[in-house]
Amino acid sequence: ADDIEAAPHDALTLDVVGPEAGGLAAEPDNLVLRAARALAAATGREAWAALTLRKNLPVASGIGGGSADAAAALRVLNVLWDAKLPNEALRAIGATLGADVPVCVESRPMRMQGI
């Protein structure tokens, strides 16, 4: 699995490390950054955090790694920014990023339809 860490910082930054980091080297605006900006916009705040993504899962392998990373970013920044949004709100933000991000926010088996 991939891991995401977030720490206070004066701007929004992302460092991608790990054995599969090379697959994202040419991606200046990946789903983790889009998730952070979407959460900031939804809460009316500036996006600030030093994010580190340890990429262990292969990029574009079809196993939902990017969606899970985006969901993890929403969850960790919700705590770091003390936004206190319920999972329902995080799922709604996640739905703007991709169809499977809301499921990844919940991080449990779910049945989906209609999208």
Side-chain angles (χ1 to χ4, degrees):
D2 296 342
D3 293 309
I4 292 192
E5 295 178 11
H9 196 288
D10 59 352
L12 182 63
T13 64
L14 176 63
D15 188 23
V16 183
V17 300
E20 297 294 331
L24 290 178
E27 182 65 41
D29 188 38
N30 77 25
L31 209 46
V32 168
L33 290 172
R34 286 185 284 188
R37 286 193 297 272
L39 180 62
T43 58
R45 67 184 67 228
E46 292 292 320
W48 55 265
L51 299 169
T52 302
L53 169 60
R54 174 164 289 286
K55 194 69 185 148
N56 296 310
L57 297 173
V59 175
S61 61
I63 57 177
S67 296
D69 295 344
L74 291 173
R75 288 192 312 264
V76 72
L77 291 172
N78 191 40
V79 173
L80 181 66
W81 295 343
D82 198 30
K84 298 180 180 157
L85 294 179
N87 275 4
E88 181 179 333
L90 296 179
R91 287 193 314 265
I93 295 166
T96 69
L97 302 167
D100 55 349
V101 177
V103 173
C104 294
V105 166
E106 289 298 325
S107 194
R108 64 180 177 87
M110 297 182 80
R111 182 180 299 249
M112 297 170 43
Q113 65 183 31
I115 191 167

